[in-house]
Amino acid sequence: MLRGIHVPLVTPFDASGEVALDAVEKLAHRALDEGAAGLVALGTTGEVAALDPAERARVIEVCARVCAERQALLTVGVTGNDTRSTARALRDLPEGAGAALVTVPYFLRPGERGVVAHFEALAEETPVPLVIYHIPYRTGQAVGAATLREVGAHPMVAGVKYAAGGIDQDAVDLLADLPENFDVLGGDDVFVSPLLALGASGGILASAHFATRSFADLVDAWQAGDAARARALGHRLARLSAALFTAPNPTAIKGVLHAEGLIPTPDVRLPLVPADPGTVAAAHAVVRQEH
């Protein structure tokens, strides 16, 4: 279900600060036109914490309509660090969501037993398959391969967005022995190629707002065993990703999208501030090399 590249869409704002829904729709179609297998709405890249409930609902509505038209998977980010409110958010997901991206509980650091209990409880409540979002440098909670394997054995847990900050021993161990019907998606853009080489099925990559077709080709090359092509693509796309992450996500990405005429403003909401012009120009230069 999770094979390929899934683009976690930015949330564009217009000059008045409102969500630019027409730009959301255009970005969604563009990503799918260029080879994305699916979209992620309301992820970190979408500044979900800065959106009010009505704005979140409108973003999901637009993305769900596009994905239904295009027969693509829509994954919706679900926020919350306690089990009860997260389960409620899952139950309230609107029609059109095909999966839910759920972060390992953040800040509380419940321990790995708590992580297992949390996801097992959610798996019994959710109307759609869950994708665990493992990002310990944001959550403060380490999760080992054995824990992910245990949670991943549940039929309502479809996979994990793996964003540990690199290729660690747990990634190697997990990919060597995956539960049935459990996929690993790269979540650290710069490291997606080596993770694919180890057996990941795709990625949720903010960088894939650009060079989407090349990222999709990277997945195909590794899965076809064409290592020479995959390595060359991987090195090139890692440079692209590094350029787009020289400022906090999604500030440089929004800056380049605006420079390309794809969104009405480069604006983000506090506490994020826009990437400085030099950073945007440098990232844009790398993006242009991919055109």
Side-chain angles (χ1 to χ4, degrees):
M1 183 180 82
L2 298 177
R3 183 185 180 278
I5 296 299
H6 301 255
V7 179
L9 293 178
V10 301
T11 302
F13 302 119
D14 64 23
S16 69
E18 297 299 313
V19 175
L21 293 173
D22 57 339
V24 173
E25 185 167 0
K26 289 176 183 176
L27 288 175
H29 277 295
R30 179 175 178 270
L32 296 174
D33 286 342
E34 293 297 317
L39 305 174
V40 179
L42 307 184
T44 306
T45 304
E47 297 176 73
V48 60
L51 304 180
D52 65 36
E55 290 172 326
R56 295 176 189 178
R58 288 193 291 270
V59 169
I60 293 173
E61 181 183 2
V62 170
C63 293
R65 183 175 68 251
V66 172
C67 285
E69 291 172 7
R70 306 295 297 274
Q71 297 184 312
L73 176 67
L74 174 62
T75 302
V76 176
V78 174
T79 58
N81 69 340
D82 73 288
T83 307
R84 185 169 60 174
S85 69
T86 307
R88 185 166 55 248
L90 286 167
R91 291 193 300 269
D92 291 342
L93 281 171
E95 187 175 349
L101 179 65
V102 181
T103 308
V104 169
Y106 51 87
F107 190 77
L108 295 176
R109 300 179 70 183
E112 296 197 51
R113 287 180 56 213
V115 171
V116 171
H118 175 73
F119 279 104
E120 287 183 343
L122 296 180
E124 295 301 318
E125 299 261 4
T126 183
V128 297
L130 303 179
V131 180
I132 302 164
Y133 189 3
H134 173 49
I135 184 164
Y137 52 84
R138 287 187 185 268
T139 65
Q141 176 62 61
V143 180
T147 296
L148 290 171
R149 200 174 286 120
E150 181 178 357
V151 176
H154 195 287
M156 287 303 291
V157 179
V160 59
K161 177 182 177 181
Y162 201 91
I167 306 298
D168 60 4
Q169 184 62 51
D170 282 306
V172 175
D173 290 348
L174 177 65
L175 284 158
D177 184 20
L178 287 175
E180 188 175 359
N181 299 319
F182 181 82
D183 291 314
V184 175
L185 295 173
D188 288 311
D189 299 33
V190 172
F191 301 108
V192 69
S193 185
L195 201 66
L196 288 165
L198 288 168
S201 61
I204 297 177
L205 306 174
S207 302
H209 279 83
F210 310 100
T212 315
R213 178 64 61 186
S214 294
F215 277 106
D217 288 347
L218 177 67
V219 175
D220 291 342
W222 277 121
Q223 294 190 345
D226 188 349
R229 174 166 166 73
R231 284 195 194 102
L233 272 171
H235 288 310
R236 199 176 82 214
L237 293 172
R239 289 193 293 272
L240 173 69
S241 295
L244 291 165
F245 278 83
T246 50
N249 183 39
T251 62
I253 290 170
K254 277 190 156 184
V256 178
L257 286 169
H258 176 61
E260 292 271 292
L262 296 170
I263 60 176
T265 74
D267 296 348
V268 290
R269 287 181 176 170
L270 288 170
L272 292 173
V273 295
D276 67 77
T279 297
V280 173
H284 194 193
V286 178
V287 167
R288 284 198 301 264
Q289 292 173 11
E290 290 295 321
H291 285 182

